[in-house]
């Protein structure tokens, strides 16, 4: 009888402990801060971000992250300014444009992810001896006017003494994400593509990567995270937690092989096989795409404005101190 009573008491204690554990877990989950992140595109180019998502770094930082793809910097910026998204991930040129347009509550860049362009020049045939002069007189499917892909492309052309307006034809009439399909259907002699479109064109024998805009443009502050100044002021702990999680993703990418990275982010790209993901990660890995920290340096911001001026998209330069904060990125390194 005593033994039965003891067993019953032990069972009750186990149930209480289990319920208590569930309660604590539920309590902990409730404490996560919801954050909506709007990314300009869903691309392997942003591997460190997906590593942070897949390895649970955002949850560890107390953040319940909702990821939305904006399909264009203009759409991502609109989502942030309207409050539809808390944080935007896009080219920082958008923050300069909105600042110069007089936005009352302008966005501030607090973390830089990529330091090279992530797109590639694709031709219709293999060109092992490709030279940028080969584009003269040709038709190229380009990017949106005023967007980083197009401006970096034109920046490279000018570095090679090629006039983007007279020496070739750049078709900017096709929506972002549709150029690969248009190229497959016979439009254009060359196309500027992000991954996985460039590799898919190669796998289908419909195009061949002949140049990397990332390598030929040099180190460029291509994409960064930003939020409205009011959001940063109101939720500094959330911004810090978000940045800490990203830095862990950056650390992982810096210390692991392309295959290991590809394996981690594979669930983010269910329509792309692991071998293709690995090939793409290797391309980005080899060209030193990702910074080892998230600090957006002034020299990078100045280079960005140089590119905007060269493209004729900048009426006046904007103060680095107004549009960039390094406070959170520097703390995340420690």
């Amino acid at each position: 009888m005593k033994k039965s009573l003891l067993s019953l008491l032990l069972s009750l204690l186990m149930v209480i402990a289990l319920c208590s554990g569930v309660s604590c877990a539920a309590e902990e989950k409730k404490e996560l801060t919801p954050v909506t992140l709007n990314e300009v595109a869903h691309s392997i180019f942003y591997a460190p971000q997906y590593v942070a998502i897949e390895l649970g770094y955002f949850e560890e930082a107390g953040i319940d992250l909702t990821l939305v793809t904006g399909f264009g910097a203009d759409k991502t910026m609109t989502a942030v300014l309207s409050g539809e998204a808390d944080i935007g991930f896009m080219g920082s040129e958008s923050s300069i444009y909105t600042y110069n347009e007089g936005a009352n509550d302008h966005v501030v860049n607090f973390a830089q992810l990529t330091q090279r362009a992530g797109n590639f020049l694709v031709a219709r045939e293999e060109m092992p001896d490709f030279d940028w002069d080969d584009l003269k007189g040709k038709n190229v499917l380009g990017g949106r006017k005023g967007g980083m892909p197009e401006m970096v492309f034109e920046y490279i052309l000018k570095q090679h003494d090629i006039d983007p307006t007279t020496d070739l034809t750049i078709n900017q009439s096709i929506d972002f994400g549709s150029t690969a399909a248009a190229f497959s259907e016979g439009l254009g002699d060359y196309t500027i593509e992000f991954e996985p479109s460039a590799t898919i064109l190669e796998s289908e024998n419909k195009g061949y990567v002949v140049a990397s805009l990332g390598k030929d443009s040099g180190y460029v502050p291509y994409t960064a995270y930003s939020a409205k100044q009011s959001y940063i002021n109101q939720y500094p702990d959330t911004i810090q937690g978000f940045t800490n999680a990203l830095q862990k993703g950056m650390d992982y990418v810096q210390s692991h092989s392309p295959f290991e990275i590809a394996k981690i982010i594979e669930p983010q790209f269910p329509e792309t096989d692991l071998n293709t993901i690995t090939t793409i990660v290797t391309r980005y890995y080899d060209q030193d795409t990702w910074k080892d920290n998230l600090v957006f340096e002034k020299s990078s911001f100045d280079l960005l404005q140089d590119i905007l001026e060269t493209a004729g998209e900048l009426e006046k330069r904007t103060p680095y101190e107004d549009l960039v904060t390094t406070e959170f990125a520097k703390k995340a390194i420690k």
Side-chain angles (χ1 to χ4, degrees), residues 200-215:
I200 291 173
L201 284 171
E202 285 193 324
S203 67
E204 295 175 347
N205 297 317
K206 292 182 177 179
Y208 301 88
V209 172
V210 295
S212 162
L213 274 69
K215 287 182 179 178

Side-chain angles (χ1 to χ4, degrees), residues 11-270:
S11 297
L12 284 171
L13 285 172
M14 288 177 66
V15 170
I16 291 170
L18 181 62
C19 291
S20 176
V22 170
S23 176
C24 287
E27 182 89 13
E28 189 175 329
K29 188 170 184 181
K30 286 179 184 177
E31 290 177 358
L32 292 179
T33 301
V35 173
T36 298
L37 168 64
N38 190 300
E39 59 178 0
V40 64
H42 196 69
S43 170
I44 296 167
F45 184 38
Y46 312 132
Q49 171 181 287
Y50 306 126
V51 166
I53 291 173
E54 292 299 324
L55 292 182
Y57 294 152
F58 287 104
E59 286 88 347
E60 288 177 11
I63 291 173
D64 179 14
L65 188 71
T66 297
L67 183 64
V68 178
T69 304
F71 298 104
D74 52 342
K75 296 180 179 65
T76 296
M77 178 57 77
T78 298
V80 174
L81 291 176
S82 68
E84 184 181 333
D86 303 306
I87 296 172
F89 178 54
M90 65 197 119
S92 299
E93 76 282 355
S94 295
S95 66
I96 295 174
Y97 296 153
T98 55
Y99 180 89
N100 283 341
E101 288 167 2
N104 293 325
D105 188 8
H106 65 273
V107 300
V108 175
N109 301 284
F110 62 86
Q112 179 189 335
L113 186 79
T114 55
Q115 62 182 0
R116 287 191 184 274
N119 41 6
F120 301 87
L121 181 68
V122 179
R124 293 204 171 276
E125 57 187 36
E126 293 182 273
M127 301 177 69
D129 299 318
F130 170 80
D131 186 276
W132 286 97
D133 280 341
D134 293 333
L135 295 184
K136 289 183 176 179
K138 297 298 193 295
N139 188 303
V140 181
L141 305 188
R144 177 180 61 85
K145 178 177 170 56
M148 279 301 286
E150 178 62 24
M151 288 190 296
V152 168
F153 176 46
E154 293 184 14
Y155 178 76
I156 293 172
L157 293 176
K158 290 173 182 177
Q159 294 294 104
H160 289 83
D161 296 321
I162 301 172
D163 189 326
T165 60
T166 59
D167 289 334
L168 71 163
T169 300
I170 303 176
N171 186 337
Q172 296 178 278
S173 66
I174 303 172
D175 291 337
F176 179 83
S178 300
T179 51
F183 188 73
S184 295
E185 293 169 5
L187 190 62
D189 302 305
Y190 296 84
T191 183
I192 306 294
E193 295 297 334
F194 277 98
E195 295 287 14
S197 296
T199 295
I200 291 173
L201 284 171
E202 285 193 324
S203 67
E204 295 175 347
N205 297 317
K206 292 182 177 179
Y208 301 88
V209 172
V210 295
S212 162
L213 274 69
K215 287 182 179 178
D216 288 307
S217 63
Y219 290 108
V220 173
Y222 206 77
T223 45
Y225 296 87
S226 58
K228 288 193 292 188
Q229 182 68 71
S230 61
Y231 184 89
I232 294 175
N233 291 343
Q234 189 173 357
Y235 304 106
D237 291 342
T238 300
I239 293 293
Q240 188 63 66
F242 182 92
T243 309
N244 292 346
L246 280 174
Q247 183 61 57
K248 285 186 177 182
M250 300 287 268
D251 293 342
Y252 184 96
V253 166
Q254 293 293 327
S255 59
H256 290 77
S257 69
F259 175 76
E260 290 172 314
I261 297 166
K263 189 67 178 171
I264 291 295
I265 68 173
E266 185 182 12
Q268 289 284 326
F269 303 94

